Amino acid sequence: MGSKVAEIALTRSVGLALLVSFLVLDACGGNGNDISGGGGAAGSGGVAGGGGVPGSGGVAGGGVAGSGGVAGSDVPTAIAAGNRRSCALTSAGRVLCWGSLGDSGVVPAAVSGLSSGVTQISVPHSSVNTGGGYTCALTSDGVQCWVYSPSFAVKPVSGLGSGVTQISSGYLHACALTTGGGVQCWGSNPDGELGDGTHTTSLVPVAASGLSSGITQLSVGNEHTCALSSSGGVLCWGRSDHCELGISVPSVVPVAIPEDNLRSGIVQITSGGAHTCALTSGGGVLCWGDNYSGQLGNGDGNDSCSPVTVTGLSSGVTQISAGGSHTCALTSNGGVLCWGENLDGQLGNNGTMAHSLVPVAVSGLSSGVAQISAGGSHACALTTGGEVLCWGDDAYGQLGDGSFTDSPVPVPVVF
C-alpha cells in the first residue's frame, strides 16, 4: 500500500511539474461552481462568465463607486473564487484577479496578455495545500490558460481556438464543452479525470469517452469531473475515494450516476474538492461524496455515495457553488447560505469558525445577491448593484480588501 501511495504521489508531482513547465514554455498553447452570465450557474473552481448586472444599488455614473465595485462604466459582471485567489470579469471584457498571483497582490489587478472578448474565467479551487492549478479563460480567440508564478504568460490551448461554449479547471486538469455538446479534457490523469479511458497525462485536449455530444454543462473538481446531459442526468469520472462520482470506485470513463433522482431533472452541477452537488429543476439541492466537514449539508459527517438532500433546501435555490470543503447556495430571494468547513470563516456567518453540518445564513447577505462562487477556503458574492464581497481565508489576499486578514463576514473588494 505504501509503495502504491508513493507511486500516485510521484505521478501527481511529475504531472504538476510537466504541466507548469508546459504552460511556461508555451505548451498550454500546444495544452460551482460554472457561470454563464452574471447570476448564472456556478461550476467547479468558480467559473465567471459574461453577463450584465443591473446598474442599480449603489451605481454612480454607470459604475459602482468606491469599494466593492469598479468606478466608471466598467463594472463587474461575474466572479470566480478559487484556491488562494479570486477573479472578476468586467463589462468591458477585462479580467481582474487578486490573491496568490505570484506578486502577492491583495487588490484586483488586470491579467495582461489575454485576447479580447473574454466571456468566462475559470479558477481552480483545489483543497490540496498548494497554490497549484492553473486558470483558464474563454476568449474570442478560444481557450487560453496560465499558471500564476513570479513570471507567467497566457497561452492558447491547442485545438480550442473556436467552438467552445464553457470551460472548467481543476487542480491539475481542465475541460472544455464544445458547441456540439462534446467534452475535451487535458492535464494530469492518474485517476482517469480526463475521461478518455486511460491514466495517461495529456498536454493537449482529448475527447472524454462517449461524450461527443449531448452535454450542456461541465464541472471539474480536484481530481474528478462531472457533466450534465441535455436530458438532465449527471455523469462523472476520475477519482472517487469519497464517492464523489456517486459510486465507490474510480472510473477512467464517464459513468451515469445510478440514482433515479440524478438521471433527469437536474439543471446545474458543481464539483468541490471531493464532493459534488446538483440543483434540481424544483430548486432543491442534492450533494454526495466527502462529508468530513459537513459539506453535504445533510446534518451528519458521513460520506455518501447516494445523493442526500441538503437540510432545508428542498426548494427555493437558484444557484449552487461547491468549494474545497464547503458549499454555498443562492436563494430565489437573493440570499446566500453556506455549509461545511469553517476554519477560516468561509461560511460567512460571523460565528465561532466551527464547521456547520447544515446551511447557515451569510451575514448581511439575506437579499440582493446575483451570483456566488465558493473557493478553496473562501467565497465571494456579486450583488445586483455590481458590488463584489468576499469572506473567509485571506492568507494570500484573496478577499481583495487590501489586507491579509481572514474575515468571518463579507468584506467589499477594493477595486
Side-chain angles (χ1 to χ4, degrees), residues 73-310:
S73 59
D74 189 16
V75 299
T77 58
I79 53 172
N83 182 42
R84 300 182 177 179
R85 68 184 66 99
S86 308
C87 295
L89 181 63
T90 75
S91 55
R94 291 196 304 154
V95 175
L96 305 174
C97 295
W98 55 98
S100 179
L101 307 180
D103 58 358
S104 300
V106 294
V107 294
V111 177
S112 61
L114 277 174
S115 297
S116 61
V118 178
T119 57
Q120 289 182 22
I121 178 80
S122 177
V123 186
H125 58 29
S126 169
S127 62
V128 179
N129 188 24
T130 175
Y134 54 102
T135 304
C136 295
L138 180 57
T139 76
S140 56
D141 291 328
V143 181
Q144 300 180 340
C145 298
W146 63 98
V147 172
Y148 277 116
S149 64
S151 176
F152 69 89
V154 175
K155 304 294 180 182
V157 176
S158 178
L160 297 182
S162 62
V164 175
T165 61
Q166 189 222 325
I167 52 174
S168 186
S169 57
Y171 172 44
L172 288 176
H173 77 292
C175 296
L177 178 65
T178 69
T179 52
V183 179
Q184 299 275 329
C185 298
W186 63 98
S188 184
N189 196 29
D191 297 291
E193 46 264 65
L194 302 190
D196 66 342
T198 76
H199 293 281
T200 305
T201 291
S202 179
L203 300 180
V204 295
V206 294
S209 179
L211 299 185
S212 60
S213 64
I215 300 302
T216 60
Q217 190 218 330
L218 294 173
S219 187
V220 173
N222 272 5
E223 292 158 321
H224 75 290
T225 310
C226 292
L228 178 64
S229 72
S230 55
S231 62
V234 181
L235 305 97
C236 297
W237 59 96
R239 193 172 188 175
S240 197
D241 290 1
H242 299 277
C243 284
E244 51 263 53
L245 304 189
I247 55 177
S248 60
V249 294
S251 178
V252 297
V253 296
V255 291
I257 296 182
E259 303 293 333
D260 289 343
N261 54 359
L262 290 178
R263 294 187 181 211
S264 63
I266 302 302
V267 296
Q268 188 222 327
I269 53 174
T270 178
S271 299
H275 71 293
T276 312
C277 296
L279 178 64
T280 72
S281 57
V285 183
L286 303 170
C287 295
W288 60 96
D290 185 15
N291 199 27
Y292 180 80
S293 301
Q295 56 264 55
L296 303 190
N298 66 328
D300 66 42
N302 301 317
D303 293 358
S304 179
C305 287
S306 300
V308 296
T309 299
V310 176

Side-chain angles (χ1 to χ4, degrees), residues 322-367:
S325 297
H326 67 297
T327 313
C328 295
L330 178 64
T331 68
S332 55
N333 64 358
V336 183
L337 303 167
C338 296
W339 57 95
E341 187 176 80
N342 198 32
L343 291 175
D344 300 292
Q346 56 262 55
L347 301 189
N349 63 332
N350 199 21
T352 60
M353 306 296 191
H355 301 339
S356 180
L357 305 180
V358 296
V360 294
V362 175
S363 180
L365 296 183
S366 59
S367 63

